[in-house]
Amino acid sequence: SRVVECTRDRRFDRGGAASLAMDALSLAAPAIVSHLIGSAKYGPGPQARGMTLLTLSAAQLAHLMTLAPKRNAELADGPLSRWGIEGGAALSAALMLAPYLAPPLGRLIGVATPRGGDFLISAALSAAPLLRKLPQLASARRSPQSKTPDRD
């Protein structure tokens, strides 16, 4: 089967599959928790969806930051230099906030701007990818022989 062939590839072994699963979980779980909190507070609707979208998109940006040490070493001289990637992240952040800063766009996609405390909930939950990788990132900075942290 295709899955078996994929797992035999050295780039996607069991460790790679486990790492991918943990990355997916660290992105999806905070969004699900955010949606459950929003639904409990406001019922199903634009307010809960707004919290969910904000948490998911912020978690994706946080996940991008966990890749920064590795990609800086790999792409320093390539076409996707540091500034290109940071520019892309800044553009992504602007797009993430667009439905909340432009209410007509938010209404078009069916989300409402989260209220003050809801922003804090989304921010705290979206930090999960960073928190999961924090020990790895810290050890990579302390280790002079390795500039790039290993994937899980």
Side-chain angles (χ1 to χ4, degrees):
S1 86
R2 290 177 65 189
V3 174
V4 172
E5 291 172 16
C6 237
T7 58
R8 288 185 187 150
D9 186 343
R10 292 162 84 202
R11 293 171 287 167
F12 197 75
D13 57 4
R14 283 185 191 204
S19 176
L20 180 63
M22 287 305 297
D23 286 346
L25 184 62
S26 71
L27 293 172
I32 292 169
V33 171
S34 178
H35 188 74
L36 292 173
I37 292 170
S39 293
K41 285 176 77 172
Y42 306 109
Q47 205 68 40
R49 287 192 301 270
M51 287 179 66
T52 305
L53 179 64
L54 180 62
T55 303
L56 179 60
S57 53
Q60 290 170 333
L61 282 174
H63 178 69
L64 174 67
M65 295 302 119
T66 68
L67 302 176
K70 183 174 184 174
R71 62 121 174 113
N72 279 345
E74 292 174 351
L75 302 173
D77 297 323
L80 293 175
S81 69
R82 178 182 174 122
W83 293 109
I85 292 175
E86 267 75 7
L91 179 61
S92 295
L95 290 172
M96 172 185 78
L97 295 173
Y100 307 110
L101 299 175
L105 179 58
R107 284 191 296 277
L108 179 68
I109 65 171
V111 298
T113 302
R115 297 179 177 131
D118 299 337
F119 271 110
L120 295 175
I121 291 169
S122 290
L125 289 170
S126 65
L130 286 174
L131 295 175
R132 188 173 84 77
K133 298 276 185 155
L134 201 56
Q136 216 176 15
L137 294 172
S139 68
R141 286 183 183 233
R142 285 191 305 258
S143 173
Q145 66 270 26
S146 172
K147 290 184 180 180
T148 61
D150 292 333
R151 299 280 296 170
D152 292 334

